[in-house]
């Protein structure tokens, strides 16, 4: 299994531009999570999906952020318009089952976003 | 609400030293507990886990025991190596909920 695949690995964009981050979860995993990691705030859960349906998006910082999961093998996180304070590493993770029954997450390698 | 508190870093140790990274949790019910490791430039990797009280998780020489009486899940290793230099995250989850991660503890092992 190739694991959770994220693209791009690095993204540098100018303030005001649209940014789209992509994630392919592990086949058969029903849960998909988007996290943001910064030095100041650590790991923050942005949103998670179960069977392609958004379950909790309370961590999405503002309306500039949106996430979709059109099918079981693909998800996107979009920022429009981007701002310098969005600079962070964005991780996607997937899990095969209910999060409380010991499966654990598998994380992707992350996308390092820099907004200048 | 659920939360995880882990010791502040950074931690610097000499090779072959004993490692302890403290982690305590607050949760109702019976959470599962995890340690994740993040190497530079990479995502988090599951290191070990325990799903019920008194369980001991172990992997790559690391161990942690789920102590319900002290609500703790401390990470230990008897002899660290330079290759163990990374950031370590304690986490918990309960059925129906997402993970709650600690703030991470940076470990540097010097030769």
């Amino acid at each position: 299994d190739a694991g959770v695949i994220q693209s791009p690995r690095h993204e540098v964009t100018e303030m005001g531009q649209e940014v789209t981050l992509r994630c392919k979860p592990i086949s058969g995993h029903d849960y998909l999570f988007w996290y943001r990691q910064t030095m100041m705030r650590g790991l923050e859960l942005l949103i998670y999906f179960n069977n392609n349906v958004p379950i909790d998006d309370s961590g999405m910082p503002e309306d500039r952020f949106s996430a979709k999961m059109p099918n079981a093998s693909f998800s996107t996180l979009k920022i429009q318009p981007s701002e310098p304070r969005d600079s962070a590493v964005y991780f996607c993770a997937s899990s095969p089952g209910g999060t409380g029954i010991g499966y654990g997450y598998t994380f992707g390698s992350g996308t390092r976003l820099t907004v200048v | 609400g659920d939360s995880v508190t882990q010791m502040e870093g950074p931690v610097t140790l000499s090779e072959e030293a004993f490692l302890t990274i403290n982690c305590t949790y607050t949760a109702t019910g019976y959470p599962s507990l995890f340690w994740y490791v993040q190497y530079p430039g990479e995502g988090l990797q599951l290191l070990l886990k325990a799903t019920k009280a008194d369980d001991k998780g172990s992997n790559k020489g690391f161990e942690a025991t789920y102590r319900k009486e002290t609500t703790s899940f401390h990470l230990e290793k008897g002899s660290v190596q330079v290759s163990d230099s990374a950031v370590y995250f304690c986490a918990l989850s309960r059925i129906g909920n997402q993970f709650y991660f600690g703030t991470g503890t940076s470990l540097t092992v010097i030769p």
Side-chain angles (χ1 to χ4, degrees):
Chain A
D1 197 321
V4 176
I5 300 172
Q6 291 188 246
S7 63
R9 285 299 305 272
H10 303 275
E11 177 78 42
V12 180
T13 190
E14 292 185 349
M15 183 173 63
Q17 296 298 306
E18 177 180 296
V19 175
T20 300
L21 312 181
R22 296 173 177 79
C23 175
K24 176 179 168 53
I26 291 174
S27 177
H29 281 196
D30 295 332
Y31 287 79
L32 183 140
F33 306 84
W34 282 100
Y35 280 86
R36 178 171 68 176
Q37 186 179 39
T38 62
M39 289 293 292
M40 291 297 293
R41 301 171 72 96
L43 271 170
E44 301 174 276
L45 176 65
L46 301 177
I47 185 171
Y48 78 95
F49 297 82
N50 180 22
N51 292 322
N52 313 338
V53 176
I55 303 301
D56 184 351
D57 66 353
S58 59
M60 297 286 261
E62 47 197 276
D63 292 345
R64 297 184 297 106
F65 286 69
S66 62
K68 294 182 180 179
M69 193 165 185
N71 57 61
S73 58
F74 184 66
S75 177
T76 60
L77 177 68
K78 185 177 295 186
I79 308 173
Q80 165 64 16
S82 58
E83 297 182 3
R85 60 193 168 119
D86 302 329
S87 298
V89 181
Y90 291 81
F91 288 104
C92 177
S94 69
S95 172
T99 56
I101 51 177
Y103 287 115
Y105 291 2
T106 301
F107 280 81
S109 298
T111 295
R112 181 174 295 277
L113 173 64
T114 303
V115 183
V116 298
Chain B
D2 294 352
S3 67
V4 171
T5 302
Q6 61 182 106
M7 65 184 283
E8 300 254 344
V11 175
T12 302
L13 295 174
S14 297
E15 207 165 21
E16 298 183 4
F18 184 85
L19 168 71
T20 299
I21 300 178
N22 289 339
C23 171
T24 57
Y25 68 89
T26 300
T28 56
Y30 303 94
S32 296
L33 301 174
F34 304 80
W35 277 100
Y36 279 81
V37 58
Q38 184 178 30
Y39 298 103
E42 298 184 13
L44 281 71
Q45 302 174 25
L46 179 63
L47 180 60
L48 54 84
K49 65 182 182 183
T51 57
K52 61 182 187 297
D54 300 325
D55 269 2
K56 177 186 284 187
S58 62
N59 186 24
K60 299 181 181 180
F62 291 89
E63 293 183 339
T65 301
Y66 188 163
R67 302 284 189 200
K68 190 165 177 62
E69 64 275 14
T70 54
T71 63
S72 65
F73 193 55
H74 304 322
L75 182 68
E76 297 181 337
K77 185 174 186 181
S79 176
V80 294
Q81 305 300 312
V82 171
S83 57
D84 294 327
S85 298
V87 180
Y88 293 82
F89 292 88
C90 186
L92 72 80
S93 72
R94 290 191 294 117
I95 291 175
N97 290 352
Q98 72 273 17
F99 274 47
Y100 295 88
F101 285 93
T103 53
T105 302
S106 175
L107 170 66
T108 300
V109 180
I110 55 178

